[in-house]
Amino acid sequence: MNRSNVYLLDLPNEILFNILKKLQNADVLYSLLGINNDRLDSIARNAMFSNILNFISNVQNTIINDFQLNRFCDYILPEISHNVKYLIVESTSIERILLATHYPNLIHLKIFNFQCDYSLQYFTDDSSLRQIFKQQIKKLDLVNKDSEVGL
Amino acid sequence: MATTAEASNTTTGNTETATGKMIKIQSNDGQIFEVDQGVVEQSSTIKTLSDLMDVGDVPIPLPNVKASILGPIVDFCNHHKNDQKPEPIDEDDDDDPNKDIYEPKRSDDICEWDLNFIKQFTVPEGTLFDIIMAANYLGIKTLLAVGCKTIANMVRGKSSTEVREMFNISYDPPGEGINAPNAIEGQAGTVPTTQDANATGPSPQPDPMNQ
């Protein structure tokens, strides 16, 4: 096969979007935000990649690791929080993610591995997440091992 | 796959076979490939050109594709010409309202034959991008999907530093250098897309998704 002087950024935006739409939005943000390339950074900041953020892998049924979670909470989420409308999170990381920054347009929340005896604390009047649940969230989905409940 | 090295020496016209009419297509470096209707149907570009040109003796020119890429593409289409069109996928949790049946939001479902096929094209040689752009130009959605999924699989899980190294992406941060507010007028948007001084890639293009 002959060598070609063609690189990733020689692809038109239409194809770059085609590639990135095959990734979960969280993967796009993790890999491209902060890449220090104006064009890719601009693409990653497109609202389509941050309206819905799923921190649970649909394919491998895994959650992000601590290193990745730190990167999201310390840098990525504050950069794109204004776009976020729907968050899908694991119950053990919900507080860290929701308190990482302000989400002015967040209205839908889905919590995986919800356990009544542990997770109910987030819905009490003393909870640090009280304001978000009372004033912002219009749709709440709770998923435990056996069933899914929508509120 | 039938090929002829010298287009100028071609004296026979397009031929009929038991499987239907054969059509000749020509790469930008002069190589001619003979393909049947099953291949033509997979490329919206070739199909449109063959309908418009009413081809007889003249091969359909494909000025954007060289022979080293067109040949494998013909192999791909020959392999897939009896495939059924994929069923639309209904995903309740799909967060992309603009999906179509060729582009579900996942990249782990490339079949074994396609995986082996795409391995001949690599990032360091630039040929992986060649095949993607050729598939886009020729309107072969299945091949375009395979190429894009391959890139997506390479990106998944990688930090931005790793992605920059893997794809040799130039250091070109927003708001600095050529992108600074006080950058010299007329030079904005012309920064090379790679660190390779010999690279001949085009300038960054306007974003059609945000116009």
Side-chain angles (χ1 to χ4, degrees):
Chain A
M1 188 71 60
N2 297 329
R3 183 178 178 84
S4 172
N5 275 333
V6 185
Y7 299 86
L8 179 69
L9 291 183
D10 292 323
L11 299 177
N13 280 1
E14 172 194 352
I15 296 182
L16 290 178
F17 274 97
N18 192 335
I19 292 170
L20 296 179
K21 285 196 288 184
K22 298 189 184 322
L23 293 167
Q24 295 290 339
N25 289 347
D27 287 322
V28 173
L29 295 174
Y30 182 72
S31 294
L32 294 191
L33 218 61
I35 199 170
N36 282 323
N37 179 277
D38 189 36
R39 185 171 165 220
L40 289 177
D41 189 86
S42 173
I43 289 173
R45 288 174 188 276
N46 190 293
M48 75 163 64
F49 296 122
S50 42
N51 281 163
I52 302 174
L53 288 184
N54 181 0
F55 290 100
I56 311 291
S57 167
N58 290 334
V59 175
Q60 294 151 341
N61 202 25
T62 59
I63 58 175
I64 63 172
N65 60 41
D66 286 344
F67 177 81
Q68 293 168 329
L69 184 60
N70 289 340
R71 173 78 178 157
F72 271 99
C73 294
D74 295 342
Y75 173 68
I76 295 173
L77 291 172
E79 292 286 320
I80 50 84
S81 61
H82 50 284
N83 290 332
V84 178
K85 296 180 181 176
Y86 179 12
L87 280 173
I88 303 169
V89 298
E90 214 272 348
S91 62
T92 54
S93 55
I94 178 177
E95 191 169 9
R96 178 92 200 274
I97 289 173
L98 286 183
L99 294 180
T101 185
H102 179 49
Y103 302 90
N105 296 304
L106 178 65
I107 57 172
H108 187 180
L109 187 63
K110 189 173 198 172
I111 306 175
F112 271 78
N113 292 328
F114 180 82
Q115 296 172 352
C116 288
D117 54 352
Y118 176 78
S119 304
L120 275 178
Q121 61 176 306
Y122 297 128
F123 302 98
T124 63
D125 284 343
D126 315 346
S127 166
S128 53
L129 307 180
R130 171 176 172 268
Q131 181 158 353
I132 296 174
F133 284 120
K134 277 203 165 184
Q135 299 187 3
Q136 278 191 250
I137 303 300
K138 292 182 170 49
K139 184 168 187 232
L140 177 65
D141 298 318
L142 306 175
V143 182
N144 61 17
K145 286 182 182 178
D146 299 319
S147 63
E148 176 168 344
V149 176
L151 301 175
Chain B
M1 176 183 71
T3 68
T4 54
E6 296 294 330
S8 59
N9 291 332
T10 303
T11 55
T12 58
N14 291 319
T15 56
E16 299 270 352
T17 70
T19 58
K21 181 181 176 183
M22 300 297 285
I23 299 231
K24 290 184 179 178
I25 56 177
Q26 184 174 19
S27 65
N28 63 9
D29 45 358
Q31 194 162 343
I32 294 176
F33 301 85
E34 204 162 21
V35 297
D36 63 23
Q37 199 60 29
V39 171
V40 171
E41 290 293 327
Q42 295 178 64
S43 165
S44 58
T45 300
I46 297 175
K47 186 169 182 351
T48 299
L49 288 172
S50 70
D51 289 344
L52 287 174
M53 290 172 64
D54 191 20
V55 294
D57 295 340
V58 180
I60 297 173
L62 300 174
N64 288 3
V65 191
K66 55 190 174 186
S68 62
I69 297 296
L70 186 57
I73 287 179
V74 172
D75 290 340
F76 179 92
C77 291
N78 271 322
H79 177 81
H80 285 285
K81 62 186 171 187
N82 295 319
D83 289 357
Q84 288 185 341
K85 280 192 176 178
E87 294 290 331
I89 295 175
D90 182 19
E91 295 180 4
D92 289 337
D93 290 329
D94 188 299
D95 54 3
D96 179 7
N98 298 317
K99 66 175 173 132
D100 66 29
I101 60 172
Y102 294 101
E103 300 174 337
K105 196 173 177 68
R106 61 184 303 171
S107 59
D108 62 338
D109 56 350
I110 304 175
C111 71
E112 187 175 355
W113 192 94
D114 289 349
L115 275 174
N116 288 330
F117 171 83
I118 207 71
K119 276 180 188 172
Q120 61 186 301
F121 309 102
T122 68
V123 169
E125 291 178 330
T127 49
L128 184 54
F129 308 117
D130 278 338
I131 196 80
I132 289 172
M133 288 211 278
N136 187 54
Y137 164 70
L138 292 172
I140 305 174
K141 287 194 173 185
T142 48
L143 179 55
L144 180 61
V146 170
C148 290
K149 287 178 184 179
T150 300
I151 301 279
N153 287 338
M154 297 170 74
V155 171
R156 182 180 292 110
K158 301 291 191 302
S159 68
S160 54
T161 303
E162 291 170 312
V163 171
R164 194 182 320 122
E165 288 174 6
M166 184 186 310
F167 293 102
N168 194 22
I169 292 169
S170 60
Y171 182 80
D172 172 26
E176 294 183 26
I178 200 69
N179 299 309
N182 60 349
I184 297 172
E185 189 174 5
Q187 290 188 8
T190 60
V191 62
T193 57
T194 70
Q195 294 171 331
D196 183 351
N198 295 322
T200 55
S203 301
Q205 300 172 21
D207 184 355
M209 306 300 284
N210 283 324
Q211 290 176 349

